[in-house]
Amino acid sequence: MRSIWNGNISFGLVSIPIKIYPATEDHSISFRQIHIRDNGRIRYRKVCELEDKPVESSEIGRAYEDADGALVPITEEDLAALPLPTTHTLEIEAFISASEIDPLQMGDAYYLGTSGAAGAKPYTLLREALKRSEKVAIAKYAHRGRERLGMLRVVGDTIALHRLLWPDEVREPAGVAPKEKVTVKPAELDLADTLMETLGEVDLNDLRDEYHEALEELVAAKVSGTTPTAEPGERPAGAQVVDLMAALKESVRSAKEARGEGAGEAGE
């Protein structure tokens, strides 16, 4: 596995040399854009709008666009001069309960490995301290040109890093909830509880990406020159609920049948 960041964890006066590795991967199939008429690849070129001609990556810089549309160039020297102590350090700020972190802040996940034998002892010390405290560490670090917030937790014998959004990057859900005034009856809540209990729990390892599997079969058929055999999926039923109680009862009955249980009386 190839590391994407080298540096140190700063744990008080203890320094732990580490490397960061991606903890996840996307299993989706990538497509390319083509010209439908002749299957030619569609590619993107970076063009200077003043000269109307393509430019090389080495000629491309960055700029900030202000409210009036004016571009203010920002050079690599400007960025290098910024006071960013976390450039090569994952600076632990505090230890808190994982329940204090809003799941909306959770981002990409990484594994932290040691860089050299000297890091084994302090790495293990931090890992065992996290285990015993049943807390997670909150840290700041720099990655891809910006300072980021992260959460360190123990996964097996490894310390994992979860990128966190800064609190002000999480939007408030203003205006998203239904505006209509409705009343939920106790009997309806009871049936919802029954439905939840009937559906039960699930081992996430048992869930499959059925769309991805069907897409793989489609691609394999196209490559081999055969006719795809996949049938169109059923269109979802309309969301209009005429009788909520009847819909809940039918849902409980269907869930019990799917699990091989006797339907019984859904309202019980």
Side-chain angles (χ1 to χ4, degrees):
M1 193 185 304
R2 185 178 179 181
S3 65
I4 62 170
W5 191 91
N6 293 347
N8 296 278
I9 297 177
S10 177
F11 177 29
L13 296 179
V14 177
S15 182
I16 310 171
I18 59 158
K19 293 184 177 183
I20 294 182
Y21 303 88
T24 62
E25 59 183 358
D26 189 350
H27 66 201
S28 62
I29 294 176
S30 297
F31 292 110
R32 300 287 183 263
Q33 289 189 329
I34 62 171
H35 187 193
I36 297 176
R37 188 172 63 192
D38 54 18
N39 286 351
R41 280 286 302 274
I42 303 297
R43 299 181 184 274
Y44 292 98
R45 298 186 303 165
K46 296 182 178 179
V47 177
C48 173
E49 63 180 21
L50 296 180
E51 300 178 349
D52 194 25
K53 67 178 185 179
V55 295
E56 299 293 331
S57 297
S58 59
E59 301 178 79
I60 299 175
R62 70 187 83 196
Y64 172 79
E65 185 175 2
D66 66 16
D68 297 327
L71 296 175
V72 182
I74 303 294
T75 67
E76 292 297 331
E77 290 75 17
D78 293 332
L79 296 176
L82 291 174
L84 194 60
T86 53
T87 301
H88 297 291
T89 303
L90 208 155
E91 188 85 30
I92 293 180
E93 302 287 332
F95 295 87
I96 64 174
S97 169
S99 62
E100 296 182 46
I101 297 174
D102 186 343
L104 288 173
Q105 289 182 254
M106 300 287 284
D108 298 331
Y110 306 90
Y111 291 130
L112 304 184
T114 55
S115 180
K121 181 67 178 288
Y123 182 99
T124 304
L125 171 66
L126 176 59
R127 183 191 67 200
E128 296 305 310
L130 287 170
K131 279 184 182 179
R132 190 164 73 170
S133 69
E134 297 183 344
K135 291 185 176 182
V136 298
I138 300 300
K140 293 198 300 183
Y141 65 104
H143 187 217
R144 293 179 178 172
R146 57 174 293 190
E147 190 170 56
R148 300 181 183 273
L149 195 62
M151 177 190 79
L152 276 63
R153 71 182 183 97
V154 177
V155 177
D157 293 330
T158 306
I159 298 175
L161 167 69
H162 293 267
R163 182 175 66 81
L164 299 179
L165 296 175
W166 296 94
D168 63 355
E169 293 180 315
V170 178
R171 293 176 174 175
E172 292 293 330
V176 177
K179 297 179 177 60
E180 296 80 6
K181 296 295 184 181
V182 298
T183 301
V184 177
K185 300 175 183 177
E188 293 169 338
L189 273 176
D190 291 341
L191 271 173
D193 289 342
T194 301
L195 178 57
M196 291 168 65
E197 292 171 3
T198 304
L199 291 173
E201 299 179 355
V202 67
D203 183 345
L204 293 181
N205 292 316
D206 293 336
L207 298 179
R208 297 168 23 242
D209 186 344
E210 297 178 53
Y211 180 82
H212 176 72
E213 293 174 357
L215 194 55
E216 284 186 321
E217 293 177 5
L218 171 64
V219 171
K222 289 277 190 177
V223 169
S224 64
T226 59
T227 303
T229 58
E231 297 181 359
E234 294 183 5
R235 290 183 176 274
Q240 184 67 32
V241 177
V242 178
D243 187 334
L244 185 57
M245 287 289 287
L248 286 168
K249 289 180 180 179
E250 179 62 21
S251 298
V252 172
R253 186 192 64 77
S254 298
K256 286 186 174 181
E257 286 185 353
R259 290 179 174 270
E261 303 174 9
E265 176 57 48
E268 290 180 359

